[in-house]
Amino acid sequence: MSNTRYKVLFIEDDRADQVAFERLVKSEALTYDYTIVDSVSRARQNLDSGSFDIIIVDYFLGDGTAFDVFDFAGKTPVILITGAGSEELAAKAMKAGAYDYLIKDQKSNYLKILPEVITNAVKNRELEEKLDRHRENLEKQIKLRSEELVAEKELLSATLTSMCDGVIATDTEKRIVLFNRAAENFTGWKLEEVENKLADEVFTIIDEKSREVIDIRSEERRVGKECRSRWSPYH
């Protein structure tokens, strides 16, 4: 048995079942710091004043049922135990948030598997918390990177706007994604007229020396006075 100490809230209004649980802890030398209460109201008081690793609750209680406990258990795993077992009740309990469901028997055999169920429930919750932390960290990284990309885009936009050379960029499908002011002046096209259009549908670039059409790839092409390329808009 693990030496990890678990804080257990045992909610049971039957004194015989309370004693049976206490005997289980002692006979198996379970490392539980347990609190036993006999009602929904006392369970709420204990949960309001402290945290627990696991909640074990009987279905029928003097001032309510286990489903009342589900309402304020939060993320603490809950194991439901009851002598009035049925498939309908089990399905309802699992839907309400129970980690597991155990049927009481006259010989209290359910207590033999209870420690294993408790360990599995706590480990499952620890894994969920680890995944939650990982997800939160990933979301923070994505947000930070998104902010960096926005800043980089704004800087690039400002740089391109101030350039005297025409700059055009396409994506992998040759759709125009960048078209600075100088490119507008050189071609006569406006950004809103060509953005997201296929570059080949908008214009061709002809090299002045070779007179060959320049294939537009997924890259930035700078077109300025020094390259003297001819732009032929399609109409």
Side-chain angles (χ1 to χ4, degrees):
M1 188 62 60
S2 172
N3 291 323
T4 303
R5 300 198 69 84
Y6 294 148
K7 292 187 65 176
V8 179
L9 179 61
F10 190 79
I11 311 170
E12 172 63 72
D13 61 352
D14 188 303
R15 182 53 187 164
D17 289 329
Q18 293 177 0
V19 172
F21 177 75
E22 291 178 317
R23 287 175 178 171
L24 170 71
V25 174
K26 293 178 180 179
S27 64
E28 297 294 329
L30 300 173
T31 52
Y32 295 168
D33 294 325
Y34 63 88
T35 299
I36 297 178
V37 296
D38 59 3
S39 65
V40 173
S41 58
R42 291 191 62 189
R44 181 189 289 273
Q45 291 173 2
N46 278 269
L47 285 169
D48 287 342
S49 60
S51 61
F52 292 85
D53 296 309
I54 191 77
I55 298 172
I56 304 167
V57 58
D58 185 26
Y59 178 55
F60 289 111
L61 299 167
D63 57 348
T65 70
F67 291 96
D68 297 311
V69 176
F70 290 141
D71 293 338
F72 55 80
K75 295 183 177 181
T76 307
V78 179
I79 299 172
L80 176 64
I81 54 175
T82 181
S86 68
E87 291 184 2
E88 182 180 357
L89 180 59
K92 185 179 179 181
M94 300 303 285
K95 186 176 181 179
Y99 173 80
D100 209 340
Y101 177 94
L102 300 179
I103 304 295
K104 291 181 181 180
D105 58 279
Q106 292 183 348
K107 296 182 178 180
S108 297
N109 288 322
Y110 75 96
L111 291 174
K112 295 179 181 179
I113 64 172
L114 183 58
E116 182 179 356
V117 176
I118 291 174
T119 298
N120 291 338
V122 174
K123 288 184 176 180
N124 181 72
R125 179 55 200 154
E126 290 173 347
L127 179 59
E128 289 179 350
E129 291 176 345
K130 184 177 181 179
L131 290 174
D132 287 342
R133 289 193 297 269
H134 177 71
R135 189 180 299 109
E136 290 174 1
N137 184 53
L138 185 60
E139 290 175 352
K140 289 179 181 178
Q141 292 182 19
I142 293 174
K143 181 180 179 181
L144 178 61
R145 183 53 185 155
S146 297
E147 293 173 349
E148 291 175 347
L149 289 173
V150 170
E152 291 173 3
K153 184 176 180 180
E154 291 176 349
L155 177 60
L156 176 61
S157 177
T159 301
L160 293 175
T161 299
S162 64
M163 292 177 63
C164 65
D165 294 335
V167 180
I168 300 171
T170 64
D171 61 15
T172 56
E173 297 180 351
K174 297 185 180 181
R175 295 188 182 277
I176 297 172
V177 295
L178 191 150
F179 203 79
N180 76 341
R181 188 173 300 168
E184 291 180 343
N185 295 334
F186 292 145
T187 64
W189 294 102
K190 295 296 182 183
L191 172 62
E192 57 269 21
E193 296 175 318
V194 301
E195 189 173 21
N196 293 323
K197 290 185 178 180
L198 290 172
D200 292 340
E201 295 177 354
V202 179
F203 48 72
T204 56
I205 305 176
I206 302 175
D207 187 271
E208 185 177 33
K209 293 182 179 180
S210 66
R211 309 303 298 170
E212 294 180 354
V213 175
I214 298 175
D215 186 21
I216 302 174
R217 300 297 181 185
S218 179
E219 61 180 342
E220 294 184 4
R221 291 193 178 276
R222 300 181 58 205
V223 183
K225 294 180 180 179
E226 70 276 10
C227 76
R228 298 179 181 177
S229 295
R230 297 179 182 274
W231 297 76
S232 300
Y234 285 114
H235 297 288

